[in-house]
Amino acid sequence: MRTAPTILHLDMDAFFASVEQASKPSLRGKAVVVGGLGPRGVVATASYEARVFGVHSAMPMGQARRLAPHAAYLVPRFTFYRSISERVMELLRALSPLVEPLSLDEAFVDLEAGQMAWDERSARLAGVKLRADIRAVTGLTGSVGLAASKMLAKIASEEAKPDGLVVIEPGSERAMLAPMSVRTLPGVGPATGDHLRRAGITTVGEIVEAGEDELVRLLGKAHGHGLYAMALARDDRPVVAERETKSVSVEDTYDVDIHDRTRVGLEVQRLAERCVRRLREARLSGRTIVLKVRRYDFSTLTRSETLRGPTDDPAVIREAAARLLESVDTTGGVRLLGVGVSGLADYTQEDLFAQAAGERTTARGPVEERVATPAEEQPALAERSWPAGHDVRHAEFGHGWVQGSGLGRVTVRFETPSSKPGRVRTFRVDDPDLEAADPLPLVSREPDGGGAASGAGDHAVSSVPASLPKSWSGSGGGAATSRP
């Protein structure tokens, strides 16, 4: 491991929800939940105001509505989020050629490779400048962790949230980790954490005390060895820039084992849909469908099926995942499910659906049948063209966003990122003066030399903070974070 905290981890704060608050003045400081709004929708991101009520990502949207009934519930604007993410990634690449994006709102940076840092002070200065630049360019906040390894940098950024910076000084790692919950370590979800708790292990220090052999006995060889190394703060993984995507996958770990076979099947179908969305966002397709099942006893099974050619057809991938599930015994309960696609390509094979369901006539017919709407339901189709939270423009009232729609009406709040909270008006869904619009920039001007950003509501920040954030002390194991 390194002798200086020159690996940086950036995690944007409640990214999707923060973008929505920055672009909608009336939502600033209020609970905002972004995700699928249908009966099987899940939360993608919740603002910190919504998290106070217990709402969190991956939660069923119905549960979120019960916990925070007065929150604003919005449909994601992934194209807009991606455009903002690209601006942030440009700032990271200005620091180093070694930037490893993990998602739209998260990445590792090797500051040493960019000659931006070589010791604790230079690393801290780079982190402070990055946070100021992000706010100036996007109007948003991000939390930064700095450490000598990727694992510790990620832990540091989590401790820095929201809108902070934490440095873990080399030599203090073991003392810092010891009192932390086992859930702090990567790969320790609710199920693994509960398994360790039943064995009397609740902190990272107790993992070290238990010893490697006991971890292997409890969790298996690979997981046990890996978890013990992490508890000792051992992590030599390099930051890998722009690595080629070899597969696209999604998985969920469940707080309580799923025993109902029907529920397992529904979860697999939901995961297949999410996997398809990721494929399409990346403009990819794949020919090998993979199902992952971790059972009650921590045994993990994978099943795969290779098609004749690549596809991004949701019906094909759902049916393949369902067939793979038929070969898996889920008796006793399921802790984790995952669906993935590998063998990636940037094109699709149009007739794959006939392969997946030979009795059907065409590749496109079944998909159209799934989404087609009878003539008598055309008004409902028009309503669905106005997703909550998306941008619109009215010929008379200007730019706004959809608060909601139904019963042939659409309600719009007219405001922009740089305006005061706007007024609300309701129109017929077929009003000829109302049309979909592109999002407006969150910041009205570019930064001039790292100055304050405008157009971000109450979020104005100086490029030079009054004081630098303090590091974690190896002796105390506590943390001090910067909150400019």
Side-chain angles (χ1 to χ4, degrees), residues 191 252-265 267 292-301 325 328-337:
D252 278 344
T253 301
Y254 304 98
D255 292 338
V256 179
D257 292 357
I258 302 176
H259 294 84
D260 180 47
R261 181 76 178 189
T262 301
R263 166 83 188 285
V264 172
E267 288 294 313
K292 177 180 178 182
V293 180
R294 180 167 296 153
R295 299 190 293 187
Y296 70 99
D297 59 356
F298 287 88
S299 61
T300 302
L301 305 176
L325 180 62
V328 177
D329 179 12
T330 59
T331 304
V334 171
R335 293 177 177 271
L336 176 148
L337 290 168

Side-chain angles (χ1 to χ4, degrees), residues 17-35:
S18 293
V19 170
E20 299 300 342
Q21 289 176 318
S23 64
K24 300 172 173 63
S26 59
L27 297 184
R28 292 172 191 165
K30 298 181 180 179
V32 174
V33 180
V34 180

